[in-house]
Amino acid sequence: MKINVASPSCGTLKQYEVIDEKKLHLLYEKRIAQEFDGEIIGEQFKGYVLRITGGQDKQGFPMKQGVLTNSRVRLLLNRGDVGYQRWRGRKGERRRKTVRGCIVAHDIAVLHTIILEEGEEKIEGLTDHTVPRRLGPKRANNIRKLFNLTNEDDVRKYVIRRTLPANEERKKKERTKAPKIQRLITPTSLERRKKKRFMLQTRREKSFSERAAYQHLLDRRKSMSAMKKKNRAARKMLGERLKELTQIAARKQKAELQRKKQAAAAKAKEELAKKSAKKAAPAKPATKKSAKK
């Protein structure tokens, strides 16, 4: 089994290969985040305390913290989890991947460890020298933590700059380069934040006023529609009433005409009867006066 030993304080890493099965047997059944005596790896690690941080089996499947088994399992993983690289999936996508449990077994090929406590002797290539950090902290709070600064101190003066050598082929002089400080609060950013809040407030007020105006318009349209509906119903009732009155007047007029016709027919019949009665009556005898004449 190959064991990678890293020293966070020195910034170094070195790989050791352990062949002795008796020593490896002491590592079996240990879990990720457990500590063990470094003398298992070799005598040079006497007094060292190491912690297990992970590992891979012989086929390259990584160990995953929280999976309490010493064999492989298939789990539904999110992007960025151990065993499922972030760039391989879309946002929110989950995939079923094969991972190994967090318990060390005989089929682990590489085991990753870090040094928690150093022994008396320095180890060549691991703790005998320190590799400086190429880049310093970038976030404002991390810079404050590194230099023990307060919030009143100017963080921009403490940014770690690195020197770039001159390049004669590209005709570039020696220069320095520094990262852009993240989450830095300046008067400009405060003014920008204040302006953003003001714009949000004005947009919110404008939205409320437009909503109120639109609601007033809807209420007005609703009331107008109800009024039109009421007027339409009133006109309909008035038209029906006028139609009924017209029909009643027409019936009365028709009845009056019929009554007049009947009266005229009765009168004409009566006159005709009188005329026929006159014609049928006998002639009167002549009187004495008419005879003398």
Side-chain angles (χ1 to χ4, degrees), residues 234-272:
R235 285 198 303 270
K236 187 177 180 181
M237 290 178 64
L238 182 62
E240 291 178 354
R241 184 61 181 164
L242 289 175
K243 189 176 181 181
E244 290 177 1
L245 293 175
T246 305
Q247 290 177 356
I248 292 170
R251 282 198 297 270
K252 285 184 178 180
Q253 188 177 3
K254 188 176 181 181
E256 188 69 24
L257 288 174
Q258 192 172 3
R259 190 172 61 254
K260 285 182 180 181
K261 285 182 180 180
Q262 289 177 357
K267 189 176 181 181
K269 191 175 181 181
E270 188 178 350
E271 289 177 356
L272 186 61

Side-chain angles (χ1 to χ4, degrees), residues 6-65:
S7 176
S9 59
C10 298
T12 55
L13 183 140
K14 195 171 182 181
Q15 188 178 83
Y16 297 90
E17 188 169 1
V18 180
I19 305 175
D20 191 359
E21 191 66 29
K22 293 181 180 180
K23 292 182 178 181
L24 292 176
H25 192 73
L26 299 174
L27 293 176
Y28 295 160
E29 301 302 323
K30 290 190 178 295
R31 302 177 185 175
I32 293 178
Q34 277 191 344
E35 302 172 4
F36 65 94
D37 188 6
E39 200 171 355
I40 296 174
I41 302 175
E43 295 180 357
Q44 69 270 30
F45 283 92
K46 186 176 181 180
Y48 282 77
V49 178
L50 306 179
R51 176 187 288 171
I52 301 172
T53 58
Q56 290 91 24
D57 62 5
K58 295 177 181 178
Q59 283 73 34
F61 293 100
M63 298 172 66
K64 184 173 175 61
Q65 177 68 293

Side-chain angles (χ1 to χ4, degrees), residues 198-217:
F198 177 74
M199 289 178 66
L200 288 174
Q201 183 66 23
T202 53
R203 287 178 187 173
R204 193 178 293 114
E205 292 175 358
K206 183 181 177 183
S207 176
F208 286 157
S209 62
E210 288 179 353
R211 187 184 300 174
Y214 184 65
Q215 188 64 35
H216 177 70
L217 179 63

Side-chain angles (χ1 to χ4, degrees), residues 21-276:
E21 191 66 29
K22 293 181 180 180
K23 292 182 178 181
L24 292 176
H25 192 73
L26 299 174
L27 293 176
Y28 295 160
E29 301 302 323
K30 290 190 178 295
R31 302 177 185 175
I32 293 178
Q34 277 191 344
E35 302 172 4
F36 65 94
D37 188 6
E39 200 171 355
I40 296 174
I41 302 175
E43 295 180 357
Q44 69 270 30
F45 283 92
K46 186 176 181 180
Y48 282 77
V49 178
L50 306 179
R51 176 187 288 171
I52 301 172
T53 58
Q56 290 91 24
D57 62 5
K58 295 177 181 178
Q59 283 73 34
F61 293 100
M63 298 172 66
K64 184 173 175 61
Q65 177 68 293
V67 183
L68 300 178
T69 181
N70 57 1
S71 59
R72 297 178 194 169
V73 291
R74 285 181 60 81
L75 299 177
L76 199 61
L77 303 178
N78 293 317
R79 280 196 323 158
D81 288 346
V82 175
Y84 184 18
Q85 294 172 328
R86 188 175 186 84
W87 60 272
R88 289 188 179 275
R90 298 181 180 180
K91 185 178 180 181
E93 183 181 0
R94 301 172 71 194
R95 289 187 187 179
R96 193 167 294 279
K97 292 287 185 178
T98 301
V99 292
R100 178 162 289 280
C102 65
I103 300 175
V104 180
H106 65 279
D107 51 355
I108 296 295
V110 181
L111 195 67
H112 306 307
T113 61
I114 59 172
I115 297 175
L116 294 182
E117 296 179 10
E118 292 188 11
E120 298 178 356
E121 297 181 0
K122 297 291 184 180
I123 301 173
E124 184 182 356
L126 189 62
T127 57
D128 59 345
H129 69 285
T130 302
V131 178
R133 291 179 60 180
R134 178 175 169 270
L135 301 175
K138 190 175 182 181
R139 192 179 298 175
N141 285 339
N142 293 339
I143 297 173
R144 291 191 185 99
K145 188 186 296 183
L146 179 64
F147 293 101
N148 197 17
L149 304 176
T150 61
N151 291 332
E152 286 75 20
D153 295 328
D154 191 2
V155 183
R156 291 172 288 187
K157 297 179 181 179
Y158 295 88
V159 180
I160 298 175
R161 307 183 69 89
R162 60 191 180 95
T163 304
L164 299 177
N167 192 338
E168 296 179 358
E169 294 180 359
R170 297 184 179 180
K171 298 180 181 180
K172 288 187 178 182
K173 299 179 181 179
E174 184 177 343
R175 63 194 188 280
T176 59
K177 194 173 184 181
K180 181 182 177 183
I181 303 174
Q182 300 297 318
R183 302 185 186 181
L184 179 65
I185 299 175
T186 58
T188 306
S189 63
L190 292 176
E191 187 67 26
R192 192 182 298 120
R193 193 179 300 173
K194 184 178 178 181
K195 183 180 178 181
K196 188 177 180 180
R197 283 200 299 266
F198 177 74
M199 289 178 66
L200 288 174
Q201 183 66 23
T202 53
R203 287 178 187 173
R204 193 178 293 114
E205 292 175 358
K206 183 181 177 183
S207 176
F208 286 157
S209 62
E210 288 179 353
R211 187 184 300 174
Y214 184 65
Q215 188 64 35
H216 177 70
L217 179 63
L218 289 179
D219 294 341
R220 187 168 175 274
R221 287 181 179 177
K222 192 175 181 180
S223 61
M224 291 290 291
S225 177
M227 193 180 297
K228 286 181 181 180
K229 192 174 180 180
K230 191 175 180 181
N231 293 339
R232 197 182 300 117
R235 285 198 303 270
K236 187 177 180 181
M237 290 178 64
L238 182 62
E240 291 178 354
R241 184 61 181 164
L242 289 175
K243 189 176 181 181
E244 290 177 1
L245 293 175
T246 305
Q247 290 177 356
I248 292 170
R251 282 198 297 270
K252 285 184 178 180
Q253 188 177 3
K254 188 176 181 181
E256 188 69 24
L257 288 174
Q258 192 172 3
R259 190 172 61 254
K260 285 182 180 181
K261 285 182 180 180
Q262 289 177 357
K267 189 176 181 181
K269 191 175 181 181
E270 188 178 350
E271 289 177 356
L272 186 61
K274 285 182 179 180
K275 285 181 180 180
S276 59

